[in-house]
Amino acid sequence: MRVSNVTVRKRLLIFFLIGICVFILIDLRLGYVQFYLGNLLTGKAKDSWSRDIPFEPKRGEIVDRNGVALATNLSAPTVYVVPRQVTDPKVTAEKLAAALNMKQSDAYKEITQNSSNVRLSKGRKISHQKAKEIKALNLKGVYIAEDSIRYYPFGKYLSHVLGFTGIDNQGLMGVELTYDNELKGKKGHVQFYADAKGKRLENMADDFKAPVNGKNLQLTIDNRIQTIMEREMDIAQATYNPDGMIGIAMNPNTGEILGMGSRPTFNPSEYQSVSSEVYNRNLPVWSTYEPGSTFKIITLAAALQENKVNLNNDTFFDSGSVKVAGANLHCWKRGGHGSQTFLEVVQNSCNPGFVELGNRLGKDKLFSYIKKFGFGQRTGIDLAGEGTGILFDLKRVGPVEQATTAFGQGVSVTPIQQVTAVSAAVNGGTLYTPYVAKQIEDPVSGKVTMRKTPKAKRQVISADTSKKVREALEAVVAKGSGGGAYIESYRVGGKTGTAQKVKDGHYLKNNYIVSFIGFAPVDDPQIVVYIAVDNPKDTTQFGGVVAAPIVGNILKDSLLAMDVKPRKGGLDKKKKWDDPVLVELPNVVGMTREELDTQLLNVKLDVSGKGDKVVKQSPEAGVKVKEGATIRIYLGD
């Protein structure tokens, strides 16, 4: 059948239009792939060709409040192998095994893995000298990547607070763990391109993505105070060989931890060498025990706040014990203290006197203040593993439980609770949340990305009551059981504690935790220091004998480090027969050398400098020193 020309033309037109449409669709698809998906597909192709050698970031430094480095980094390269680029696995394994002191079979097994790259187990964090040796071997497929190890310049110092890191520089304990996300940074890499057989594509340049270093963490810790505390704890460790020891220093006006330590301790760089019980337990925030007489500060503050006692006018007769609901509760002094004011009850740490204060308060008031001061709950310090302590259930508190609680027996508290509570008692009455992290800073821009400020929880007692507490605790140091913490020319307050240890529900014989908590200056407290010594050997186990002198030494040197000037006007120390004779230094600045020689002082002079007159003296005028002490004199024009 013959087709007409018109039909032919129509068919040709239809085929032409269909062809145009197909061409347009193909063109659009090519354009879409070229211009829209081009970069994506190229990226995927490059990803399939690429091999990464990671570059570890530097972990952020941890510094004290004055910028002294407490945890930093040392460069330690790591060996990587790209298995598909290794041309002779046997020879490569032999040479790597010899350089890295590993078995050749192990090296061969690792470098022949079906993986894009392998980090050699014995090639992690090696010395630069060793890295130089391996690089000189010029082995195909073997690379040296930048890495680091954590370095703690002060060794065992502050170890439980700092914590430590693992092999991958990840935080495992302490602030290293708490602030790991901020400290760890982000990895970088060198990226090169290879074909399916792993051979490098020489016509494609390597890409380098720099690692982002971690942020720096500044602590509230004062390196100077921490050093003083560590020194005194080391001396006590050598002197008394205790089962353990705890130390805390805090700014009572902010909650900032200025120093914290414990024994036994460990080196964060060698944490594997000690039992996990040592590094897992940060005793100042973890351990709980009966506080003993340091807890009497809380009973005293509550009684003063509720106007239940006048320390100077009210009296109490101590026969040596008091009977409560058929139980005899004894004073530490056999025969008792006799008739005394309640200020002397505090000075003498008289248990029956504090039982009386507890009776005047009643159990509801007494326990309400105990809770207001933060006992029975975590303080909220930014360190892991904090304990809560144990208090009597109020429904089960009878006369005996109330009496023993009033003088610190039968309750269980943590050291950080005690320091926080006593700080509130002496700072004007405000309870603060303690903390160790001050701020986080970007090391490149210097921008502070996190800053902590003091957090007040509540007002527990009035400023007037707090003043009375401070003055009573000053009397403890000047006139009572805390004389070992007395410092000439500084007003120091504090309280001793001697608590019998409990095991399996029974008190141990001749096994005590002896403690002292002190603060200074009394008129404007700048620092609170707590020391507890667990079962000191070959000594009288009293807080006033063992712990008070330790705290006195820490306070004295810390006050000087903090540039707190000596203060006059405090209580003079009650003299004992064996106390040294003290001499108050006159002002000799401005005197000539001849005039200086006329001063009838029973001290030694260490004169230095050239000139005719005294331009400086150390210690300053007004400071009391022991007879025979050496005074530095500086001469000038």
Side-chain angles (χ1 to χ4, degrees):
M1 182 176 69
R2 184 178 180 186
V3 179
S4 67
N5 291 335
V6 174
T7 301
V8 170
R9 283 195 295 269
K10 285 181 179 181
R11 289 176 177 175
L12 288 174
L13 180 61
I14 290 171
F15 282 122
F16 176 76
L17 291 175
I18 291 173
I20 291 292
C21 290
V22 170
F23 177 79
I24 292 172
L25 288 174
I26 293 172
D27 198 39
L28 289 173
R29 180 60 181 174
L30 288 173
Y32 174 74
V33 171
Q34 178 71 26
F35 299 107
Y36 187 76
L37 295 180
N39 291 334
L40 178 64
L41 294 175
T42 301
K44 286 184 176 181
K46 292 178 72 175
D47 286 343
S48 67
W49 305 330
S50 67
R51 302 290 185 271
D52 289 350
I53 301 298
F55 268 57
E56 298 291 335
K58 287 184 179 179
R59 191 170 175 85
E61 289 193 346
I62 302 175
V63 300
D64 87 326
R65 65 188 304 112
N66 302 308
V68 176
L70 304 177
T72 182
N73 307 289
L74 293 178
S75 179
T78 289
V79 180
Y80 279 86
V81 175
V82 179
R84 292 184 179 181
Q85 292 183 4
V86 176
T87 55
D88 191 337
K90 185 177 180 181
V91 173
T92 301
E94 181 182 351
K95 292 184 177 181
L96 286 176
L100 296 173
N101 193 26
M102 62 187 300
K103 292 181 179 179
Q104 184 175 340
S105 59
D106 291 341
Y108 185 85
K109 184 177 180 180
E110 290 188 35
I111 69 173
T112 55
Q113 292 182 45
N114 184 21
S115 177
S116 60
N117 64 66
V118 175
R119 182 169 53 184
L120 289 187
S121 58
K122 293 288 187 179
R124 303 191 67 181
K125 302 180 188 297
I126 60 177
S127 67
H128 281 274
Q129 180 61 35
K130 184 63 66 177
K132 188 176 180 181
E133 290 177 20
I134 293 172
K135 197 171 184 179
L137 296 174
N138 198 27
L139 298 171
K140 292 288 186 180
V142 178
Y143 299 87
I144 304 296
E146 181 63 29
D147 204 344
S148 64
I149 56 174
R150 203 62 162 159
Y151 175 59
Y152 301 92
F154 293 97
K156 295 181 179 180
Y157 167 116
L158 199 66
S159 57
H160 287 92
V161 173
L162 294 174
F164 50 84
T165 61
I167 187 67
D168 291 316
N169 281 350
Q170 76 278 26
L172 296 179
M173 291 292 295
V175 294
E176 292 275 28
L177 173 61
T178 304
Y179 295 96
D180 185 53
N181 286 336
E182 292 80 6
L183 290 167
K184 66 183 180 182
K186 296 180 180 179
K187 292 183 179 182
H189 58 253
V190 170
Q191 190 178 65
F192 63 88
Y193 300 95
D195 59 23
K197 294 182 178 181
K199 185 178 179 180
R200 293 191 65 155
L201 300 176
E202 301 296 340
N203 60 330
M204 297 188 70
D206 295 347
D207 289 337
F208 174 67
K209 181 181 179 182
V212 178
N213 293 332
K215 296 176 181 177
N216 294 335
L217 171 63
Q218 184 178 42
L219 302 182
T220 61
I221 299 293
D222 189 316
N223 172 64
R224 301 165 301 176
I225 295 173
Q226 183 69 32
T227 301
I228 294 164
M229 179 179 289
E230 298 278 358
R231 179 198 70 199
E232 292 300 319
M233 293 178 76
D234 284 343
I235 293 172
Q237 182 76 34
T239 304
Y240 301 114
N241 188 28
D243 294 343
M245 205 176 340
I246 292 166
I248 303 175
M250 190 167 95
N251 183 337
N253 306 302
T254 62
E256 293 177 305
I257 300 298
L258 303 175
M260 182 178 286
S262 61
R263 300 291 185 275
T265 186
F266 67 98
N267 188 328
S269 297
E270 302 169 358
Y271 69 92
Q272 303 97 328
S273 65
V274 299
S275 165
S276 61
E277 290 185 353
V278 173
Y279 62 71
N280 270 334
R281 297 174 178 177
N282 186 8
L283 298 181
V285 302
W286 175 84
S287 61
T288 59
Y289 49 83
E290 290 189 0
S293 294
T294 54
F295 197 75
K296 292 172 180 174
I297 297 172
I298 307 307
T299 305
L300 171 65
L304 288 170
Q305 180 67 24
E306 293 297 318
N307 295 314
K308 298 296 183 182
V309 65
N310 185 303
L311 294 180
N312 294 304
N313 297 335
D314 292 357
T315 59
F316 177 80
F317 183 83
D318 173 29
S319 64
S321 65
V322 59
K323 182 167 282 191
V324 179
N328 278 322
L329 304 178
H330 296 275
C331 186
W332 63 268
K333 183 179 181 181
R334 289 194 176 191
H337 295 92
S339 182
Q340 53 189 337
T341 66
F342 270 92
L343 180 58
E344 291 171 324
V345 167
V346 179
Q347 290 173 198
N348 297 327
S349 196
C350 175
N351 287 351
F354 276 88
V355 172
E356 172 62 19
L357 290 181
N359 286 336
R360 293 185 183 188
L361 284 163
K363 74 172 186 180
D364 290 334
K365 277 292 181 186
L366 175 61
F367 276 82
S368 71
Y369 274 96
I370 289 171
K371 290 183 178 181
K372 284 179 183 178
F373 273 106
F375 294 102
Q377 56 194 290
R378 292 183 177 88
T379 64
I381 189 170
D382 48 344
L383 289 172
E386 184 182 6
T388 59
I390 303 171
L391 299 179
F392 286 119
D393 183 345
L394 197 58
K395 296 177 182 178
R396 298 183 179 181
V397 173
V400 174
E401 290 78 13
Q402 175 186 308
T404 58
T405 298
F407 60 80
Q409 187 175 324
V411 295
S412 178
V413 304
T414 66
I416 191 63
Q417 285 175 342
Q418 291 199 83
V419 173
T420 305
V422 172
S423 293
V426 302
N427 70 8
T430 304
L431 184 71
Y432 285 95
T433 299
Y435 60 103
V436 297
K438 192 173 182 69
Q439 63 183 32
I440 293 173
E441 182 179 293
D442 187 298
V444 178
S445 67
K447 181 181 178 181
V448 175
T449 59
M450 184 280 283
R451 178 182 283 118
K452 283 194 174 183
T453 54
K455 182 179 178 182
K457 289 184 176 180
R458 53 185 166 272
Q459 188 78 17
V460 185
I461 57 175
S462 68
D464 183 60
T465 297
S466 178
K467 184 173 183 291
K468 292 176 182 177
V469 172
R470 293 198 301 271
E471 291 171 348
L473 296 180
E474 182 181 18
V476 172
V477 173
K479 309 292 185 184
S481 58
Y486 188 86
I487 306 172
E488 287 292 341
S489 303
Y490 283 104
R491 297 180 64 185
V492 178
K495 187 73 190 73
T496 56
T498 305
Q500 202 167 3
K501 289 167 64 176
V502 178
K503 184 177 181 181
D504 300 327
H506 299 283
Y507 287 105
L508 301 177
K509 290 184 178 181
N510 302 318
N511 196 332
Y512 297 84
I513 295 176
V514 298
S515 61
F516 186 85
I517 190 162
F519 63 95
V522 167
D523 55 333
D524 182 22
Q526 297 298 306
I527 182 173
V528 172
V529 175
Y530 176 74
I531 289 289
V533 184
D534 183 356
N535 192 26
K537 315 295 192 304
D538 302 320
T539 185
T540 303
Q541 292 193 349
F542 282 133
V545 174
V546 176
I550 300 173
V551 172
N553 291 336
I554 294 172
L555 283 173
K556 180 181 178 181
D557 288 351
S558 295
L559 290 166
L560 292 172
M562 296 166 70
D563 199 28
V564 177
K565 301 299 181 184
R567 285 170 163 79
K568 297 181 180 180
L571 298 176
D572 289 327
K573 185 179 180 182
K574 182 180 179 181
K575 296 297 181 183
K576 298 179 181 178
W577 68 270
D578 59 346
D579 282 344
V581 178
L582 300 176
V583 177
E584 183 173 337
L585 296 179
N587 186 3
V588 299
V589 174
M591 291 184 180
T592 63
R593 179 61 192 262
E594 291 75 15
E595 292 172 331
L596 182 65
D597 291 337
T598 65
Q599 299 297 305
L600 300 177
L601 293 175
N602 192 12
V603 295
K604 299 175 183 177
L605 299 181
D606 179 10
V607 181
S608 61
K610 296 180 179 180
D612 298 325
K613 291 187 177 183
V614 178
V615 294
K616 186 179 179 182
Q617 70 180 80
S618 179
E620 298 177 352
V623 174
K624 293 181 180 179
V625 298
K626 296 178 183 178
E627 280 191 346
T630 300
I631 309 304
R632 295 188 180 276
I633 301 296
Y634 302 90
L635 298 177
D637 294 325

